[in-house]
mmCIF file with all atom_site columns, all heavy atoms in Angstrom:
data_model
loop_
_atom_site.group_PDB
_atom_site.id
_atom_site.type_symbol
_atom_site.label_atom_id
_atom_site.label_alt_id
_atom_site.label_comp_id
_atom_site.label_asym_id
_atom_site.label_entity_id
_atom_site.label_seq_id
_atom_site.pdbx_PDB_ins_code
_atom_site.Cartn_x
_atom_site.Cartn_y
_atom_site.Cartn_z
_atom_site.occupancy
_atom_site.B_iso_or_equiv
_atom_site.pdbx_formal_charge
_atom_site.auth_seq_id
_atom_site.auth_comp_id
_atom_site.auth_asym_id
_atom_site.auth_atom_id
_atom_site.pdbx_PDB_model_num
ATOM 1  N N   . ILE A 1 50 ? -1.887 12.270 0.954  1.00 92.00 ? 50 ILE A N   1
ATOM 2  C CA  . ILE A 1 50 ? -0.484 12.395 0.548  1.00 92.00 ? 50 ILE A CA  1
ATOM 3  C C   . ILE A 1 50 ? -0.352 13.317 -0.659 1.00 92.00 ? 50 ILE A C   1
ATOM 4  O O   . ILE A 1 50 ? 0.520  14.198 -0.705 1.00 92.00 ? 50 ILE A O   1
ATOM 5  C CB  . ILE A 1 50 ? 0.112  11.012 0.223  1.00 92.00 ? 50 ILE A CB  1
ATOM 6  C CG1 . ILE A 1 50 ? 0.066  10.098 1.449  1.00 92.00 ? 50 ILE A CG1 1
ATOM 7  C CG2 . ILE A 1 50 ? 1.545  11.157 -0.285 1.00 92.00 ? 50 ILE A CG2 1
ATOM 8  C CD1 . ILE A 1 50 ? 0.904  10.557 2.604  1.00 92.00 ? 50 ILE A CD1 1
ATOM 9  N N   . HIS A 1 51 ? -1.223 13.130 -1.632 1.00 93.00 ? 51 HIS A N   1
ATOM 10 C CA  . HIS A 1 51 ? -1.145 13.933 -2.860 1.00 93.00 ? 51 HIS A CA  1
ATOM 11 C C   . HIS A 1 51 ? -1.415 15.412 -2.573 1.00 93.00 ? 51 HIS A C   1
ATOM 12 O O   . HIS A 1 51 ? -0.736 16.296 -3.109 1.00 93.00 ? 51 HIS A O   1
ATOM 13 C CB  . HIS A 1 51 ? -2.147 13.404 -3.885 1.00 93.00 ? 51 HIS A CB  1
ATOM 14 C CG  . HIS A 1 51 ? -2.138 14.152 -5.181 1.00 93.00 ? 51 HIS A CG  1
ATOM 15 N ND1 . HIS A 1 51 ? -0.974 14.426 -5.879 1.00 93.00 ? 51 HIS A ND1 1
ATOM 16 C CD2 . HIS A 1 51 ? -3.150 14.705 -5.910 1.00 93.00 ? 51 HIS A CD2 1
ATOM 17 C CE1 . HIS A 1 51 ? -1.264 15.099 -6.979 1.00 93.00 ? 51 HIS A CE1 1
ATOM 18 N NE2 . HIS A 1 51 ? -2.579 15.284 -7.016 1.00 93.00 ? 51 HIS A NE2 1
ATOM 19 N N   . THR A 1 52 ? -2.397 15.677 -1.723 1.00 92.00 ? 52 THR A N   1
ATOM 20 C CA  . THR A 1 52 ? -2.707 17.068 -1.379 1.00 92.00 ? 52 THR A CA  1
ATOM 21 C C   . THR A 1 52 ? -1.523 17.730 -0.687 1.00 92.00 ? 52 THR A C   1
ATOM 22 O O   . THR A 1 52 ? -1.184 18.887 -0.971 1.00 92.00 ? 52 THR A O   1
ATOM 23 C CB  . THR A 1 52 ? -3.946 17.138 -0.471 1.00 92.00 ? 52 THR A CB  1
ATOM 24 O OG1 . THR A 1 52 ? -5.053 16.512 -1.125 1.00 92.00 ? 52 THR A OG1 1
ATOM 25 C CG2 . THR A 1 52 ? -4.305 18.584 -0.156 1.00 92.00 ? 52 THR A CG2 1
ATOM 26 N N   . SER A 1 53 ? -0.885 17.002 0.207  1.00 92.00 ? 53 SER A N   1
ATOM 27 C CA  . SER A 1 53 ? 0.306  17.534 0.879  1.00 92.00 ? 53 SER A CA  1
ATOM 28 C C   . SER A 1 53 ? 1.401  17.846 -0.132 1.00 92.00 ? 53 SER A C   1
ATOM 29 O O   . SER A 1 53 ? 2.115  18.845 -0.008 1.00 92.00 ? 53 SER A O   1
ATOM 30 C CB  . SER A 1 53 ? 0.821  16.529 1.915  1.00 92.00 ? 53 SER A CB  1
ATOM 31 O OG  . SER A 1 53 ? -0.156 16.268 2.899  1.00 92.00 ? 53 SER A OG  1
ATOM 32 N N   . ASP A 1 54 ? 1.514  17.009 -1.147 1.00 93.00 ? 54 ASP A N   1
ATOM 33 C CA  . ASP A 1 54 ? 2.569  17.158 -2.144 1.00 93.00 ? 54 ASP A CA  1
ATOM 34 C C   . ASP A 1 54 ? 2.398  18.419 -2.989 1.00 93.00 ? 54 ASP A C   1
ATOM 35 O O   . ASP A 1 54 ? 3.382  19.048 -3.383 1.00 93.00 ? 54 ASP A O   1
ATOM 36 C CB  . ASP A 1 54 ? 2.585  15.920 -3.042 1.00 93.00 ? 54 ASP A CB  1
ATOM 37 C CG  . ASP A 1 54 ? 3.766  15.900 -3.996 1.00 93.00 ? 54 ASP A CG  1
ATOM 38 O OD1 . ASP A 1 54 ? 4.890  16.221 -3.558 1.00 93.00 ? 54 ASP A OD1 1
ATOM 39 O OD2 . ASP A 1 54 ? 3.569  15.565 -5.178 1.00 93.00 ? 54 ASP A OD2 1
ATOM 40 N N   . VAL A 1 55 ? 1.153  18.806 -3.267 1.00 94.00 ? 55 VAL A N   1
ATOM 41 C CA  . VAL A 1 55 ? 0.907  19.958 -4.152 1.00 94.00 ? 55 VAL A CA  1
ATOM 42 C C   . VAL A 1 55 ? 0.420  21.186 -3.392 1.00 94.00 ? 55 VAL A C   1
ATOM 43 O O   . VAL A 1 55 ? -0.040 22.157 -3.994 1.00 94.00 ? 55 VAL A O   1
ATOM 44 C CB  . VAL A 1 55 ? -0.118 19.599 -5.254 1.00 94.00 ? 55 VAL A CB  1
ATOM 45 C CG1 . VAL A 1 55 ? 0.388  18.452 -6.103 1.00 94.00 ? 55 VAL A CG1 1
ATOM 46 C CG2 . VAL A 1 55 ? -1.493 19.272 -4.659 1.00 94.00 ? 55 VAL A CG2 1
ATOM 47 N N   . SER A 1 56 ? 0.534  21.173 -2.069 1.00 94.00 ? 56 SER A N   1
ATOM 48 C CA  . SER A 1 56 ? -0.119 22.198 -1.243 1.00 94.00 ? 56 SER A CA  1
ATOM 49 C C   . SER A 1 56 ? 0.657  23.499 -1.105 1.00 94.00 ? 56 SER A C   1
ATOM 50 O O   . SER A 1 56 ? 0.214  24.400 -0.392 1.00 94.00 ? 56 SER A O   1
ATOM 51 C CB  . SER A 1 56 ? -0.379 21.636 0.163  1.00 94.00 ? 56 SER A CB  1
ATOM 52 O OG  . SER A 1 56 ? 0.850  21.365 0.829  1.00 94.00 ? 56 SER A OG  1
ATOM 53 N N   . ASN A 1 57 ? 1.790  23.632 -1.774 1.00 95.00 ? 57 ASN A N   1
ATOM 54 C CA  . ASN A 1 57 ? 2.605  24.832 -1.562 1.00 95.00 ? 57 ASN A CA  1
ATOM 55 C C   . ASN A 1 57 ? 1.838  26.144 -1.758 1.00 95.00 ? 57 ASN A C   1
ATOM 56 O O   . ASN A 1 57 ? 2.012  27.080 -0.973 1.00 95.00 ? 57 ASN A O   1
ATOM 57 C CB  . ASN A 1 57 ? 3.833  24.817 -2.470 1.00 95.00 ? 57 ASN A CB  1
ATOM 58 C CG  . ASN A 1 57 ? 4.780  25.950 -2.158 1.00 95.00 ? 57 ASN A CG  1
ATOM 59 O OD1 . ASN A 1 57 ? 5.209  26.122 -1.020 1.00 95.00 ? 57 ASN A OD1 1
ATOM 60 N ND2 . ASN A 1 57 ? 5.099  26.753 -3.159 1.00 95.00 ? 57 ASN A ND2 1
ATOM 61 N N   . PRO A 1 58 ? 0.972  26.270 -2.773 1.00 95.00 ? 58 PRO A N   1
ATOM 62 C CA  . PRO A 1 58 ? 0.244  27.535 -2.934 1.00 95.00 ? 58 PRO A CA  1
ATOM 63 C C   . PRO A 1 58 ? -0.680 27.870 -1.769 1.00 95.00 ? 58 PRO A C   1
ATOM 64 O O   . PRO A 1 58 ? -1.148 29.010 -1.668 1.00 95.00 ? 58 PRO A O   1
ATOM 65 C CB  . PRO A 1 58 ? -0.570 27.309 -4.221 1.00 95.00 ? 58 PRO A CB  1
ATOM 66 C CG  . PRO A 1 58 ? 0.210  26.289 -4.981 1.00 95.00 ? 58 PRO A CG  1
ATOM 67 C CD  . PRO A 1 58 ? 0.744  25.375 -3.926 1.00 95.00 ? 58 PRO A CD  1
ATOM 68 N N   . ALA A 1 59 ? -0.947 26.905 -0.893 1.00 95.00 ? 59 ALA A N   1
ATOM 69 C CA  . ALA A 1 59 ? -1.825 27.148 0.253  1.00 95.00 ? 59 ALA A CA  1
ATOM 70 C C   . ALA A 1 59 ? -1.052 27.383 1.543  1.00 95.00 ? 59 ALA A C   1
ATOM 71 O O   . ALA A 1 59 ? -1.643 27.449 2.618  1.00 95.00 ? 59 ALA A O   1
ATOM 72 C CB  . ALA A 1 59 ? -2.784 25.967 0.436  1.00 95.00 ? 59 ALA A CB  1
ATOM 73 N N   . LYS A 1 60 ? 0.261  27.515 1.441  1.00 95.00 ? 60 LYS A N   1
ATOM 74 C CA  . LYS A 1 60 ? 1.079  27.778 2.623  1.00 95.00 ? 60 LYS A CA  1
ATOM 75 C C   . LYS A 1 60 ? 1.220  29.287 2.828  1.00 95.00 ? 60 LYS A C   1
ATOM 76 O O   . LYS A 1 60 ? 0.886  30.075 1.949  1.00 95.00 ? 60 LYS A O   1
ATOM 77 C CB  . LYS A 1 60 ? 2.450  27.117 2.473  1.00 95.00 ? 60 LYS A CB  1
ATOM 78 C CG  . LYS A 1 60 ? 2.401  25.598 2.344  1.00 95.00 ? 60 LYS A CG  1
ATOM 79 C CD  . LYS A 1 60 ? 3.795  25.006 2.267  1.00 95.00 ? 60 LYS A CD  1
ATOM 80 C CE  . LYS A 1 60 ? 3.756  23.502 2.003  1.00 95.00 ? 60 LYS A CE  1
ATOM 81 N NZ  . LYS A 1 60 ? 3.051  22.760 3.057  1.00 95.00 ? 60 LYS A NZ  1
ATOM 82 N N   . THR A 1 61 ? 1.722  29.686 3.992  1.00 94.00 ? 61 THR A N   1
ATOM 83 C CA  . THR A 1 61 ? 1.913  31.105 4.265  1.00 94.00 ? 61 THR A CA  1
ATOM 84 C C   . THR A 1 61 ? 2.831  31.719 3.215  1.00 94.00 ? 61 THR A C   1
ATOM 85 O O   . THR A 1 61 ? 3.645  31.022 2.609  1.00 94.00 ? 61 THR A O   1
ATOM 86 C CB  . THR A 1 61 ? 2.512  31.318 5.661  1.00 94.00 ? 61 THR A CB  1
ATOM 87 O OG1 . THR A 1 61 ? 3.765  30.616 5.755  1.00 94.00 ? 61 THR A OG1 1
ATOM 88 C CG2 . THR A 1 61 ? 1.565  30.814 6.736  1.00 94.00 ? 61 THR A CG2 1
ATOM 89 N N   . ARG A 1 62 ? 2.704  33.021 2.997  1.00 95.00 ? 62 ARG A N   1
ATOM 90 C CA  . ARG A 1 62 ? 3.375  33.693 1.882  1.00 95.00 ? 62 ARG A CA  1
ATOM 91 C C   . ARG A 1 62 ? 4.873  33.412 1.823  1.00 95.00 ? 62 ARG A C   1
ATOM 92 O O   . ARG A 1 62 ? 5.410  33.047 0.778  1.00 95.00 ? 62 ARG A O   1
ATOM 93 C CB  . ARG A 1 62 ? 3.122  35.200 1.988  1.00 95.00 ? 62 ARG A CB  1
ATOM 94 C CG  . ARG A 1 62 ? 3.712  36.060 0.872  1.00 95.00 ? 62 ARG A CG  1
ATOM 95 C CD  . ARG A 1 62 ? 2.989  35.871 -0.449 1.00 95.00 ? 62 ARG A CD  1
ATOM 96 N NE  . ARG A 1 62 ? 1.553  35.844 -0.307 1.00 95.00 ? 62 ARG A NE  1
ATOM 97 C CZ  . ARG A 1 62 ? 0.768  36.920 -0.127 1.00 95.00 ? 62 ARG A CZ  1
ATOM 98 N NH1 . ARG A 1 62 ? 1.309  38.125 -0.078 1.00 95.00 ? 62 ARG A NH1 1
ATOM 99 N NH2 . ARG A 1 62 ? -0.541 36.796 -0.020 1.00 95.00 ? 62 ARG A NH2 1
#
Side-chain angles (χ1 to χ4, degrees):
I50 299 296
H51 180 49
T52 303
S53 300
D54 187 43
V55 300
S56 65
N57 187 54
K60 298 183 185 300
T61 58
R62 182 71 44 77

